[in-house]
Amino acid sequence: MATAGSIDYLQQFVEDTSMFNSIVLSNLLPATWWAPLPHFLQTWLRNYIAGTILYFLSGFLWSFYIYHLYRNVYIPKDAIPSNKAMLMQIYVAMKAMPWYTLLPTVSEHLIENGWTKCYSGIDEVGWILYFCYLAIYLIFVEFGIYWMHRELHDIKPLYKLLHATHHIYNKQNTLSPFAGLAFHPVDGILQALPHALALFVIPTHFRTHIALLFLEAVWTANIHDCIHGKLWPVMGAGYHTIHHTTYRHNYGHYTIWMDWMLGTLCEPEEEKYEKVN
């Protein structure tokens, strides 16, 4: 692998981010609006636009599928959230989106300047090490998000000031795919922070890191739809709905393993919560 201090090597990251900026911005905005901006601001603008499109695309498509195309198949009629509830979730998410997208922007800046263990191409480490590093990265993120999420509940001032914004959605008929990013902006950044911290200790493929950050929008939409997928050991919506109704279980992100190991797991079949009429 090329040395992290090599200017030529770091230029590969700048070229990648510049390419991503051009793909998104040149297809959506006049060049006079974004080309004069500094590289950092171009990157933030690209992340903001891409994040917003992904949020609405995943939210609207999934809501159409479960609330209209297959109405009453996956979710009882009395558990479907109102349009007012979904619009409020969109409003909260859109207020936070400019701040959310600062995290990938800053992480890309750190990568471009050689302050992380990111590498540019899979051929630098080989496929076996790529998947080994990816597994370690995902374990680190799972561990970090579990504890960040749990502390946002256990430390009462943090809960009151930050996380309570998200937990006003505490019943089936108030949860929807649009609730996935309806957080206080600091809360949302804190819960995504393990993705960035991992870069300092784990060799991480740059494009994979960016993809995983943006796939969070799709993942969080999925786990707020109240449909229990029963795909062990995935922390699906059935588990996460219980988290929103009991406040003390199922803090995990991708899987149930952290909750299982630390005694905070509650199986959907075991939890007796009432549906809202």
Side-chain angles (χ1 to χ4, degrees), residues 35-75:
L37 295 175
H39 180 73
F40 183 88
L41 289 181
Q42 287 185 19
T43 301
W44 172 81
L45 185 60
R46 177 253 295 170
N47 286 331
Y48 174 72
I49 292 173
T52 300
I53 290 172
L54 190 58
Y55 171 72
F56 279 109
L57 194 62
S58 59
F60 277 118
L61 287 178
W62 195 234
S63 295
F64 176 76
Y65 181 79
I66 61 177
Y67 300 146
H68 298 282
L69 195 60
Y70 285 89
R71 189 178 182 88
N72 302 333
V73 173
Y74 295 110
I75 297 175

